[in-house]
Each structure stands twice: as structure tokens, then as C-alpha cells.
Amino acid sequence: HAVTQGAGLCAWHLLDGKRTKNKTECIKAGLIIIDVDNQADGKDSDGNKIQKQELDEDQLLELQIVKQYCSFAYRSPSYQEEWPRFRLVFGLEKPIIDTEFYQWFTRNIAQQIPGSDVRATTVPNLFYGSKGVNPQQEGFYVSENFIPDTRIRDAYQHYLTIPKEGKEKGSAIDYLRTTIDPEGIELTKLLSSSVKVILEGGEVQDR
């Protein structure tokens, strides 16, 4: 993979092949990319990032979602032995063209992966390749796995059932993250669980 030699990666095909300052036109996405940075929110008193170690390479490869659907994984440019950081790349059997659904789907997948950075799931996001010092080590996992079209369509059908009244364009996930049902259940966790069931081939009941 060129990405293990330092090439950047974007999940989306973009109009004219680049992001623009005011508005980037997205055509379609063929990948879902999850950034595992093992980092806590905020900074310490000296302004430094705070490590929150949740996942190493061995633990990563034991996750069921990785075993089933991850196409390849590589070390982030900021990877250090004492502070491991990775990128997980999930190929899509069929492209996604709905940016709001894509962001919702990506963030729900990220919720299932400890140490992932949900802030790195905006559309479109560009990721630097690894340092390229040792490509065989940088790209430490490669498979023929991908997320099948049936799973994507099931997730999309579930996404369409979610109330979106009052949301503004581009704020779907913000609406979901800040809304609490009458019993105080966090919708983000509930929806993430639903996506997990869908990816495992189960049927999600209407709520």
C-alpha cells in the first residue's frame, strides 16, 4: 500500500480531487477510516496531549469487527512504541453517497473500537500515511475483508427511521449525541449497539 510509504488517504472521491476552503463537493465514499489515537480529551496543565491507552496492535486484531470487516490497518505518523496509534480502513462493497448517513455510520462503528477518535470522522477527512520507514511494519494488517452491501443497506434503512426533526443540515450526529430519551438513555450508545447488531447480521427491532 502506498499509504505505508507516506501517501495520504481520503475515504471520499472529491470534485476536482481536492478539498476547498468554503465547501468541498463529495461524490462518493469507498472506505470508512477509523483513527485509533488512544488519547483522552483535553490537555494537561502544560498543554500536552494526554494518553489514554485502550488498545494495542494485538488487542486490535482480536476485535470481532476488525476480524470481519477491516481491509487493512497501518500505524499513524505519530505512532510511538510507548504510545501506539493506528488507522483502520474498512472497504465498502458499494459506495456511499449520502454524507450525513456516512458520518452517522462511521461514528457508530468508531463507538465499537476502544481508543478511537470520533472527532476524526467528519466528512471529508484526509489522513496522512505512515512514516514509511519500514512499510512492512507500518501496514501491520491486510485482508480481503470489507463491509458488504447488505450490511450498508440494513444500516441505512435503520438510519432512515431515526427522528431528525429540528436538525440543520450537517448536524445529524450532533443531534443524536445531545438528545436523551425520557428514561435518560444515551442515544449514541443505543444506536451504536444497533449498528453492531446489523454488522453481525442480526435484525434491529423498531423502537
Side-chain angles (χ1 to χ4, degrees):
H1 293 283
V3 71
T4 63
Q5 301 176 38
L9 189 64
C10 181
W12 284 82
H13 291 276
L14 307 177
L15 189 65
D16 297 327
K18 61 183 179 181
R19 288 199 301 184
T20 56
K21 183 176 180 180
N22 296 322
K23 183 180 180 182
T24 300
E25 295 293 341
C26 297
I27 302 172
K28 60 182 178 179
L31 305 170
I32 283 179
I33 305 171
I34 303 297
D35 184 30
V36 180
D37 64 359
N38 287 309
Q39 181 178 315
D41 291 334
K43 296 183 179 181
D44 64 20
S45 57
D46 295 323
N48 300 313
K49 296 177 179 179
I50 303 171
Q51 182 175 2
K52 183 182 179 184
Q53 186 59 43
E54 297 189 67
L55 206 64
D56 61 26
E57 287 183 16
D58 292 335
Q59 294 168 328
L60 180 72
L61 299 180
E62 288 302 313
L63 292 177
Q64 190 60 35
I65 193 170
V66 172
K67 290 180 179 179
Q68 283 187 277
Y69 301 118
C70 186
S71 304
F72 70 95
Y74 69 96
R75 294 174 175 175
S76 304
S78 55
Y79 175 93
Q80 299 174 15
E81 291 293 338
E82 63 276 13
W83 192 337
R85 301 171 187 233
F86 323 103
R87 303 264 165 73
L88 305 182
V89 183
F90 297 82
L92 304 176
E93 184 178 21
K94 295 289 182 65
I96 294 175
I97 60 174
D98 184 330
T99 56
E100 290 191 5
F101 165 66
Y102 176 89
Q103 183 162 287
W104 174 87
F105 192 38
T106 301
R107 292 193 173 185
N108 278 277
I109 289 175
Q111 289 282 338
Q112 302 173 46
I113 301 172
S116 61
D117 183 5
V118 72
R119 293 165 299 187
T121 58
T122 54
V123 177
N125 211 344
L126 306 182
F127 295 90
Y128 291 112
S130 56
K131 294 178 180 178
V133 176
N134 188 335
Q136 291 184 331
Q137 286 187 346
E138 305 289 354
F140 62 90
Y141 177 80
V142 180
S143 78
E144 296 183 356
N145 298 331
F146 54 84
I147 300 178
D149 181 48
T150 53
R151 298 289 181 262
I152 298 170
R153 285 190 285 109
D154 288 345
Y156 187 64
Q157 290 302 314
H158 182 62
Y159 167 77
L160 293 177
T161 69
I162 300 168
K164 302 178 182 66
E165 292 83 5
K167 77 174 184 66
E168 296 179 0
K169 185 176 181 180
S171 64
I173 192 64
D174 295 325
Y175 174 79
L176 293 176
R177 293 181 70 190
T178 57
T179 302
I180 305 296
D181 78 2
E183 297 181 359
I185 300 173
E186 294 184 32
L187 279 181
T188 300
K189 294 181 179 179
L190 177 62
L191 295 170
S192 179
S193 175
S194 297
V195 170
K196 184 174 185 292
V197 171
I198 290 169
L199 288 174
E200 291 174 352
E203 182 176 339
V204 178
Q205 301 297 323
D206 292 336
R207 291 179 171 83

